[in-house]
Amino acid sequence: MKRERDDDFISLILVLTFCATIFFLFIGKGPAYAGEIITKYMIGGKEYKVEKIEGEPNNYMVYWGDETFKWEPYPYMQDCVIKEGPLFYDRWIKPGLKYPWDVSLEERQKWDAADIFKMAIYGSALWFGSREYEYAANHPSILWDAKGRERFDHRASCGKGYFQPEAVKSLPKEMQGVLGRKYFEIWYEPDEAAGMGLLDFSYLDGRPDDVWFYSPSVRKVRRFSEGSRQDFLPGSTYRNEDFVITRPLHKYKLIGTELRPPRLEYFGFPKCPQKNWTDEKPKRYAGEGQPCWVIEETPAKEPWWFSKHIRWINMKDINLSLSEAYDSKGRMIRWMVHSYFLPYPDKYPLDPNWQMWPVKDLNTGFMSFDPMGFGHQPGYPDSHFYYNEGMPESAWSPQELLKEHKKPLFWR
Amino acid sequence: MKVKNIFLYAIGLTLVFFGIGSQSVARELAEGLRLTGYLKNETYLRLHGTPDHVMSSRNIVNFDINYNFPGTVPIVRRLFIQLRPFYDTVFDWENEGTGGARGGEIASGSIITLPPLQNRHIRDKYQDNFGEADDWDPLLRECWMDIKIGRKLDGRLGRQIVSWGRSDGIYLLDLINPFNYRNWSVFDEEDVKIPLWMVNLTYSFTAFNNLQLLVIPRYVPEYDAGDGHDWAPNVVRFVEEFYADPGAFFGLPGLFGQASVRFDEPDWQDPSNWEWGVRWGGMWKGITYSLNYFYTWSDIMSDYPQDPFGLVVKRNPNRISVLGGSFDYNFQNLLGLENLVIRGEMAYFKNKVFVTGDFRNREKDSIDYMLGFDKYFLVDYWVSLQLKQSWILDSPSWRDPFLGVASRLKQLLIIPGVGTFPIAEGFRDTVETAISLFIMKDYLPGDFLHTQWFLLWTHRGDWWFRPKVTYDWSKKFRTAIGFNFYWGRGYNTFGEWTKNDNAFFEVKYDF
């Protein structure tokens, strides 16, 4: 009798083991990488998850719905980005943040395409909406022709947004809620342009920008009519509507959501085509592998320089991340990588500024980019970046253009 | 021969510039001290008459020395010095026109035959600015210091250019600096305005509201070329010829010798002779505006004969008061035109001097105004249209107000090689009108090719058309080619330059 009970017990164990094996092999499949899940939450109606990869300490697997993305650090990434991995972007989704991240992830999903685009302009690094203070910087603006030959100019710029309460309060009453941004630019090089200055006020109520332009050859400040939005910014492949005069201009349609494709081959990696710039400098991030809204932008007026413009906007930091423009025949005519950097990641952990924004016109092969805050690079003027250096409101004046300032912190 | 020389010269210059290479000369001489500059050649080639007639070929070197004082130094912020020597090689090349006037020579086969008495010093006067030309084309072009006292008071002290106007090519409130009309084809304001020593203080109440005070101790008149220069206006030539031999105009050549012209310029050491101006700048409902007052001297000095025959003449400027204002506004949509900037200037001139056909000076008040319209068309054509009018107040008649000249004088106004100068029409009408059109467009990726088109029309039927194309070969080297065409009657402001239709070339290298 005892021997029969022993046989039954062994049989039961074998059957259970067999069943468990079947179960784990075919039914309860575990993840491909058995890494530690370091974050998981819902975003855009899909589960977003990040796992460490065993044996690859700085790499991560990112999952969002059906998509996967292997996140790897690249030499051009800022230290804080490499250190935190994809979780770096989660700083903009915590509760209790300032505008524009005071809106929860869930509430952001209720925005329509035009709202999303508007927030990507106003709230972010383009209109400085998250800051109550100004930035100032001096930097080259570089242009490569189709053969990689380079020209650059050297300029200083200042910008301030008027969305935060402290910034709004600094405006006259009639301008509060009306004026959105002030922008100042001075050219240092080439000598032909040295001393030229531009002051631009952008508004929230749809009126055209007020632009004052100073030219040393005439020694006067002139009110300038707002340039055609589709015209090139002088000496570059940027269009006016990319930078200086940007507010929602066109028609917008949300065509999907996806993890931002890396497009590393566009610029800077794996090998920067121009010897003066390495794969490491300037330090930046561009939202690769982050959940994005994908918006199709079509012109409000025809003809326009593009027929369709696809924009990836990061759901977390609500910044433009990647843009690809197409002509009426469906051919890509331009790409632009919207990269950023945190100039002061410890002191201002939420306030990025645009970095480089390389843009290539595929019709001509010309490419522009504006590297900022890289310090010293042989063959180029030094570039420094400053936040909150006490620029007085009185300095946002056409009178300042007359002085042809020679340094970015000209008010000191 | 001469055209070939020009091109060989230009090629040689180009090779020299390229040979210098694209590497920057070290320009940060010390902390805060920076030297920049350029080498430039401007060559003007007359298109009529002798086809290869070079009018001028200036080699210019410009040095800008800039020093930013450290923040620890109180008040003084910045020092700027601009030196701009030039040498015009036309006197070494040419035997005609201005180049032919080499002190004592009479050029043969030229358009203008110069009496020996006028053919003096022209080379010394116009060849470089180490001598007399320093007055209107100064070697030490600018030299000023920026100061800041407190947070609101800024100053610029020294030799400088100040612009009050908002226009291009035709000027109204740009009264502060006199104009150098040595070459009527020169268009850039920085090159045609004569820098002045002055105190320039601005108190900023807010970013857009400020009060400016200018004090200019030394009077400098507008400059017109003379001495038979290619760009000597008819009226200047006539006056020079008359004074050279007044008797000739009465049919008695040589009887009186030369007229005596005594220059009576205001003594700058007397503060009551200083010019001063006040300008309030502000912004109201998006309109930027200014209110201006300038107590000044006339840019042109007037001649006051001291005897009935004009043998003794006192030449002096006259005191003028100017009260005016300007504005600009950016319209989102005006009559279907989007993003249109409208700007305007107006000035009331008190006691301005006008010369009548019988060579008398009359003081009259006048009102001038200018309206400008700026807009981008067809994506990237920047178009500017300007209208300017000048009204003499209390004028005796609407047109040809200065009549009643003795018939004997009419036949005296003959300028050799030019023709009859009908003084019955006076020097201007009661109302003078000018309209200009300025178009700019850049081409090629990177905007390396710049084009400009300027067209001016006056109510007397004069035209000036100036197209120019500039190409940036690199960020340091650029070349330009352009033309200046003039139409109109030979005794009008621009019509008289028909003989000076020209092509011009510029080669510029920045260092």
Side-chain angles (χ1 to χ4, degrees), chain A residues 66-83:
Chain A
D66 295 332
E67 294 180 84
T68 58
F69 177 81
K70 185 177 180 185
W71 193 98
E72 297 173 83
Y74 296 119
Y76 60 76
M77 288 182 178
Q78 274 188 276
D79 289 344
C80 51
V81 180
I82 294 174
K83 187 177 165 193

Side-chain angles (χ1 to χ4, degrees), chain A residues 67-330:
Chain A
E67 294 180 84
T68 58
F69 177 81
K70 185 177 180 185
W71 193 98
E72 297 173 83
Y74 296 119
Y76 60 76
M77 288 182 178
Q78 274 188 276
D79 289 344
C80 51
V81 180
I82 294 174
K83 187 177 165 193
E84 295 177 37
L87 296 191
F88 166 77
Y89 297 90
D90 287 10
R91 62 182 61 204
W92 285 292
I93 60 171
K94 294 188 167 96
L97 297 180
K98 56 182 175 174
Y99 174 91
W101 308 292
D102 50 351
V103 179
S104 67
L105 268 182
E106 293 74 32
E107 287 298 310
R108 294 179 201 182
Q109 305 311 315
K110 296 177 186 169
W111 291 342
D112 63 24
D115 289 334
I116 295 166
F117 199 81
K118 189 176 78 175
M119 293 309 291
I121 297 168
Y122 290 167
S124 67
L126 202 54
W127 274 42
F128 329 117
S130 66
R131 311 174 212 160
E132 58 272 7
Y133 47 80
E134 84 292 339
Y135 90 87
N138 61 322
H139 61 92
S141 182
I142 298 175
L143 178 71
W144 292 347
D145 70 11
K147 293 184 180 162
R149 289 175 298 205
E150 182 181 276
R151 291 194 201 191
F152 64 86
D153 66 26
H154 182 209
R155 56 181 86 175
S157 60
C158 304
K160 184 171 179 181
Y162 293 85
F163 295 82
Q164 301 296 329
E166 281 306 310
V168 172
K169 266 194 277 184
S170 68
L171 292 173
K173 242 186 177 150
E174 66 272 13
M175 280 290 119
Q176 293 177 11
V178 175
L179 179 69
R181 181 186 80 158
K182 290 181 183 173
Y183 183 76
F184 196 113
E185 197 150 21
I186 313 166
W187 276 259
Y188 297 154
E189 288 180 54
D191 289 334
E192 186 78 3
M196 267 175 25
L198 178 96
L199 176 65
D200 181 285
F201 287 4
S202 304
Y203 299 95
L204 299 167
D205 60 357
R207 73 178 77 170
D209 287 21
D210 278 326
V211 183
W212 292 270
F213 180 73
Y214 169 77
S215 170
S217 66
V218 297
R219 304 298 166 91
K220 55 180 73 153
V221 177
R222 283 278 299 273
R223 194 82 169 260
F224 233 60
S225 57
E226 190 183 82
S228 169
R229 292 156 192 171
Q230 55 178 328
D231 191 15
F232 289 103
L233 269 182
S236 77
T237 50
Y238 297 109
R239 305 270 178 171
N240 280 327
E241 63 181 75
D242 293 325
F243 256 121
V244 176
I245 315 164
T246 303
R247 57 185 176 275
L249 303 172
H250 302 298
K251 293 179 271 195
Y252 303 91
K253 184 173 151 192
L254 183 64
I255 59 173
T257 56
E258 68 175 6
L259 293 174
R260 198 276 225 184
R263 301 285 198 265
L264 296 175
E265 69 280 12
Y266 279 177
F267 174 81
F269 200 82
K271 185 150 180 66
C272 180
Q274 219 285 355
K275 61 177 171 60
N276 285 325
W277 295 97
T278 70
D279 301 329
E280 298 181 19
K281 219 171 184 178
K283 297 295 185 186
R284 60 198 186 271
Y285 62 88
E288 299 92 336
Q290 286 296 304
C292 287
W293 292 287
V294 184
I295 288 177
E296 180 184 272
E297 186 181 18
T298 47
K301 282 183 197 172
E302 299 272 2
W304 205 253
W305 68 271
F306 65 84
S307 210
K308 182 173 72 176
H309 205 174
I310 307 298
R311 310 278 216 161
W312 282 260
I313 296 175
N314 190 318
M315 288 186 180
K316 295 183 188 174
D317 66 6
I318 322 179
N319 269 318
L320 285 161
S321 189
L322 178 69
S323 297
E324 292 171 349
Y326 296 83
D327 65 12
S328 56
K329 295 191 166 87

Side-chain angles (χ1 to χ4, degrees), chain B residues 71-106:
Chain B
T72 49
V73 174
I75 298 177
V76 183
R77 289 286 167 267
R78 185 177 160 203
L79 175 66
F80 178 78
I81 297 172
Q82 185 177 76
L83 296 164
R84 193 182 291 177
F86 71 81
Y87 181 83
D88 196 336
T89 62
V90 73
F91 300 97
D92 302 321
W93 290 37
E94 267 291 348
N95 290 320
E96 300 187 29
T98 299
R102 295 184 197 172
E105 289 181 41
I106 296 183

Side-chain angles (χ1 to χ4, degrees), chain B residues 416-434:
Chain B
V418 177
T420 306
F421 188 88
I423 61 169
E425 291 193 18
F427 287 90
R428 61 158 288 166
D429 292 337
T430 298
V431 181
E432 301 239 310
T433 303

